[in-house]
Amino acid sequence: MAQTRGLGKRYIKAFFKGFFVAVPVTVTFLDRVACVARVEGASMQPSLNPGGRQASDVVLLNHWSIRNYDVRRGDIVSLV
């Protein structure tokens, strides 16, 4: 019984240790490198949501290129 408690405490401690490392790394990645977004509506047709279907498209927003001003003609730029 005492071994089970010690084992449970170790797992909880390891979980929180990993949690407090993973959350800041994930938030920094999503803020500085890339994130996923949904595109809905007719504003981006015919490139995205072709045919006027009701389902939304999912895109990867690349924050890294915009930070380096590596935007070219034909790129889609998203503003929040």
Side-chain angles (χ1 to χ4, degrees):
M1 185 79 157
Q3 270 185 322
T4 307
R5 284 188 188 167
L7 189 62
K9 283 185 181 181
R10 279 196 321 199
Y11 282 127
I12 291 172
K13 188 176 180 180
F15 171 78
F16 280 114
K17 195 177 202 180
F19 180 79
F20 286 120
V21 170
V23 169
V25 169
T26 303
V27 169
T28 302
F29 180 83
L30 293 175
D31 186 46
R32 301 286 181 187
V33 179
C35 68
V36 177
R38 285 185 352 186
V39 177
E40 298 174 337
S43 65
M44 293 302 295
Q45 286 179 348
S47 298
L48 301 173
N49 292 335
R53 60 180 187 200
Q54 295 297 325
S56 60
D57 285 340
V58 178
V59 294
L60 178 69
L61 301 177
N62 182 351
H63 298 285
W64 196 258
S65 291
I66 203 73
R67 188 172 304 282
N68 298 328
Y69 301 105
D70 188 24
V71 180
R72 288 182 229 108
R73 183 181 183 131
D75 289 349
I76 297 173
V77 178
S78 173
L79 301 174
V80 179

